[in-house]
Each structure stands twice: as C-alpha cells, then as structure tokens.
Amino acid sequence: MHGLGYFLYVLEPHLPSNANSNIYCLHQTIMHMIAKWKDPSEERVQLWPRMITVQVDGASDNKCRAMFAYLEWLVLIGTFDCIHVSFLLVGHTHADYDQKFCALTRALRLGEVKQMEDLLRIYRCVRLPPIVALTSTVIRAAYGGEPPEEVEA
C-alpha cells in the first residue's frame, strides 16, 4: 500500500490460494489503513481517500465475480466513492512492488526453510521489511459468505 507499508500475507498450507484469500487479504489491508487513519498520532493518513486503485495481476481469481462484488460492496457502503482496478502487465518485473520480491527471493535462496517459522523469519529480515501476517482463516466470499466486519471510514 503506497505510503503506508508493504504487506505480505502468508497462508497456512491447508488454505487454498484463490479469490477468497485475495479478498480476505485486501480487506485486512483496508482495515489496517482505517486503523492508521483513525490513529491521531499517525501523520501519513490525514484525509481518507475517496478513490483508490487496486492493482492486481491477470489471474482469474483477481478477475472473478466475487472480487468485483467485494469492491462494489466497499463503494455501496460508502467506504470509497470510486475504486479503479488496474491489471498489471505480463512480466511486470520492473515495478516497485516486484522489486520487493527480489529481496525476498534472494533471502529465500540463502536461507533454509523447514517450517513456517523459518519462512516468516526470512520475510521479516529482508531490507525494508514488510508487514507480515500469517493467515489461518479466510472468508468464503466466492460462495456467498457474509462480508467481514463492517468497514467504516
């Protein structure tokens, strides 16, 4: 999230990586953004953005009905007035978000990962460390699940 941090969500191995997990992680990031906005000591977020841009790659779980329903829900409840969805170019290796993964890839090649704790330790030790969250549950948005907690901005 430009200006607020670099978020990296790690799913526990039993969880599928699909639209549900993508929506859950996006929701968690927005909730973090709201917490920063409501924090009087936070200087980076002073005005709530009425428009955001969500950048995703072209995978089918980012273009599915559930993802767009979630984004529409955010507009309908007034969290944002407008949400632009931008699909990344194929081979988007020179963008700032991809450069973060270069440091992670190098660290993973040099480290040894035998268990989840090893992976999280490596992620937290890279230059410009991300905000790392181990995710053990996700919502079932793609199957008509209820939206997560209310998002009020």
Side-chain angles (χ1 to χ4, degrees), residues 37 41 44 47-48 57 89 96 114 134 136 144 153:
W37 176 66
S41 66
R44 294 177 291 179
L47 295 175
W48 183 254
D57 63 23
L89 298 173
D96 60 346
K114 292 185 177 180
L134 177 60
S136 58

Side-chain angles (χ1 to χ4, degrees), residues 21-121:
S21 55
N22 292 352
I23 292 167
Y24 178 82
C25 294
L26 177 58
H27 184 78
Q28 292 301 108
T29 302
I30 291 170
M31 294 304 292
H32 179 83
M33 188 170 123
I34 290 170
K36 290 289 186 187
W37 176 66
K38 290 182 175 181
D39 182 356
S41 66
E42 178 60 54
E43 297 177 2
R44 294 177 291 179
V45 183
Q46 296 176 352
L47 295 175
W48 183 254
R50 298 313 313 158
M51 187 275 299
I52 63 167
T53 299
V54 176
Q55 293 180 310
V56 294
D57 63 23
S60 61
D61 51 355
N62 291 323
K63 294 191 235 182
C64 71
R65 190 174 299 216
M67 176 63 81
F68 282 93
Y70 171 72
L71 298 173
E72 180 183 23
W73 175 73
L74 290 173
V75 172
L76 289 173
I77 66 169
T79 304
F80 304 105
D81 293 336
C82 180
I83 299 175
H84 292 272
V85 178
S86 172
F87 293 100
L88 301 172
L89 298 173
V90 175
H92 45 86
T93 58
H94 297 291
D96 60 346
Y97 37 81
D98 284 327
Q99 295 307 308
K100 302 283 187 185
F101 282 102
C102 289
L104 289 174
T105 301
R106 278 193 298 276
L108 287 170
R109 284 183 185 147
L110 298 173
E112 185 175 15
V113 177
K114 292 185 177 180
Q115 54 191 0
M116 186 65 74
E117 291 76 24
D118 297 334
L119 180 65
L120 296 175
R121 179 184 42 75

Side-chain angles (χ1 to χ4, degrees), residues 2-15:
H2 285 279
L4 280 184
Y6 173 56
F7 294 81
L8 177 64
Y9 295 92
V10 179
L11 299 177
E12 289 197 4
H14 69 277
L15 293 173

